[in-house]
Amino acid sequence: MRLSKWMLLLAVICVVFVASGCTGSSATSGNTSANPQGQDKVKLVFWSHQEDAIVNAYKKLVAEFQTQHPDITIEYQTFPYDVYNPKLKASFSAETPPDIAEMFGTWVPAYSKNDLLVEIPDSEHVQQEYYDAPIGAYLRDGKLYGLPLEYNIENGGMLIHPQMLKEQGLEQPPSTWAELVEYAKKLTVRQGNTLQIKGFDFVSSDNITFTFLSLILQQNASFWGENEHVNFRTPEAEKAMSELVSLIAEHKVADLTTFGGELDTSDYFFRGNSAMTYRGPWTISAGLNNYKVSDFEYVPVPSFTDNPPTFAAESGWGLTVAKRSKQQEAALKFVQFVSLKENLAAWNTDTFTVPAKKEIAEDPEFLNNNPYMKTPIEALPLGQWIGPVADRDYFFKQVNDHFQLMVTGQMSVKEGLAKIEQAINDNQDQHKR
């Protein structure tokens, strides 16, 4: 999940775009102040998480919006991710939320079902402008309660080192799942029992789960049962998990040694420790900007079956308006401004995120400006919303923890899936109370 990267900043930063300078950090929705002409000036409070590229992109849009709307001032405040989520929850509980809140899609249903967010005008028409996966979490009973800014895609593409492939006589990326496995075995380099170069690394906290779910979907099956319960006791789920376990336990093209560490799997890739790494396109910018390397490619991951390579995706970062705001009209005006094609395309380019809006992703100019986005953009129509996950962290942790037990032989695949299913469904039920 892209939100887990570049967020461990130490300080809470308040960035305020008002003539009088920086104010306090508490949200004060609906304030007005007199402008030089004696007219009331609307002041909005806007919160987001801290990530350098995203903060800078928001600053540009806030400045432009205020230029076009001199009657509106936006006080923009940012918070480290680990602080932001609980602070946001507390502000809504205390009925003092910001007028405009950036939310990760998975969070939105908890707010919309409790009638805490403003409906986006003309919801039925607007939702058609977005892909299914990113819009999914913002929908409730056919109505939109926020607008996504990105398509939070972790599937569909992988990082590869073309030179490593060529050294093994592999001139093209794999075109089938069977080829991918064979490539991975050829590309793996060992020194004794230690993997020096992993042939196909998918062992990250996000990609274990996302790959598992995608392999189920590619068998034309579902991982949801009734009453918002998952169903992992199907032949398709067992086949999908068995395949992932075998990549480590049998084929030994990856291992668990770096799982849960400080570095991301993409970091190891850019350091030359893996030949193929299954990771979202947001990692591309790390290679180009942090590691200053360009001798890599981002290519499609073949389907597990003869069916199209469908996958599950979460709804990513987007903007919402609090129902407690006394300036809903002005707040909605800013959300709609950010979502205009030219503004959102600039935001996606500046943040190296995949567009959630169809007209941007399908515009040849966007691809010309972002050539590394070719693979993820082509995959966007194949994505499905992951569904009503009540507690994202708990859901993924159950899959990851039991996956490790299955790989190390401490638990069979069938037993592991049964325990994952039970734990997640119990948690889903707790969130209904």
Side-chain angles (χ1 to χ4, degrees), residues 21 314 317 356 425:
E314 295 174 283
W317 290 110
N425 289 341

Side-chain angles (χ1 to χ4, degrees), residues 13 66 104 117 126 140 144 187 216 220 232 241 286 290 301 324 330 339 348 360:
I13 300 175
Q66 291 183 140
F104 196 70
L117 303 176
V126 172
R140 187 167 188 84
L144 273 174
L187 292 165
I216 294 174
N220 283 336
F232 291 149
M241 184 58 79
N290 298 353
V301 174
R324 293 286 300 181
S339 300
N348 288 135
I360 299 174

Side-chain angles (χ1 to χ4, degrees), residues 106-366:
T106 310
W107 307 345
V108 175
Y111 293 89
S112 62
K113 74 179 181 181
N114 287 301
D115 198 29
L116 298 174
L117 303 176
V118 174
E119 180 189 346
I120 300 297
D122 196 19
S123 282
E124 188 174 338
H125 175 261
V126 172
Q127 63 187 268
Q128 303 303 319
E129 300 174 359
Y130 294 83
Y131 291 102
D132 290 343
I135 206 72
Y138 293 87
L139 282 169
R140 187 167 188 84
D141 299 327
K143 298 177 181 180
L144 273 174
Y145 292 92
L147 291 177
L149 304 182
E150 61 160 348
Y151 195 128
N152 191 57
I153 182 173
E154 290 290 353
N155 289 101
M158 62 180 176
L159 302 157
I160 69 166
H161 285 296
Q163 185 58 38
M164 288 188 183
L165 270 67
K166 289 179 182 177
E167 289 171 358
Q168 295 298 324
L170 307 171
E171 297 297 326
Q172 300 293 332
S175 58
T176 66
W177 187 265
E179 274 192 356
L180 184 148
V181 174
E182 289 305 309
Y183 276 35
K185 289 193 286 188
K186 288 184 179 180
L187 292 165
T188 299
V189 177
R190 298 180 184 83
Q191 185 174 25
N193 294 324
T194 303
L195 285 184
Q196 288 188 315
I197 298 177
K198 299 176 183 180
F200 177 59
D201 194 2
F202 64 95
V203 186
S204 70
S205 59
D206 288 337
N207 281 83
I208 292 170
T209 300
F210 278 122
T211 307
F212 169 54
L213 300 181
S214 72
L215 299 192
I216 294 174
L217 294 175
Q218 289 164 20
Q219 297 175 75
N220 283 336
S222 173
F223 50 86
W224 286 105
E226 298 179 350
N227 301 318
E228 297 187 352
H229 281 185
V230 295
N231 180 11
F232 291 149
R233 302 192 191 214
T234 63
E236 292 85 0
E238 187 173 348
K239 184 176 181 180
M241 184 58 79
S242 296
E243 181 67 17
L244 292 188
V245 169
S246 71
L247 287 173
I248 298 178
E250 178 184 346
H251 303 307
K252 302 186 187 303
V253 300
D255 59 24
L256 302 172
T257 55
T258 59
F259 182 64
E262 292 184 5
L263 295 180
D264 188 75
T265 51
S266 59
D267 292 303
Y268 290 106
F269 172 84
F270 291 120
R271 292 179 174 195
N273 298 126
S274 67
M276 302 187 295
T277 293
Y278 204 172
R279 209 67 174 103
W282 58 270
T283 58
I284 295 170
S285 62
L288 297 174
N289 300 322
N290 298 353
Y291 286 92
K292 308 298 182 184
V293 299
S294 58
D295 57 340
F296 67 93
E297 294 178 7
Y298 195 77
V299 302
V301 174
S303 175
F304 184 49
T305 67
D306 292 333
N307 301 317
T310 50
F311 58 90
E314 295 174 283
S315 298
W317 290 110
L319 300 181
T320 64
V321 173
K323 206 161 189 178
R324 293 286 300 181
S325 170
K326 296 178 182 178
Q327 302 293 345
Q328 293 180 15
E329 183 178 348
L332 283 169
K333 189 176 292 186
F334 176 72
V335 172
Q336 292 166 327
F337 170 82
V338 173
S339 300
L340 291 174
K341 181 183 178 183
E342 60 271 24
N343 295 333
L344 190 49
W347 190 92
N348 288 135
T349 297
D350 290 345
T351 60
F352 215 90
T353 52
V354 180
K357 206 168 190 180
K358 294 176 183 176
E359 66 174 341
I360 299 174
E362 295 169 1
D363 187 344
E365 183 178 353
F366 182 82

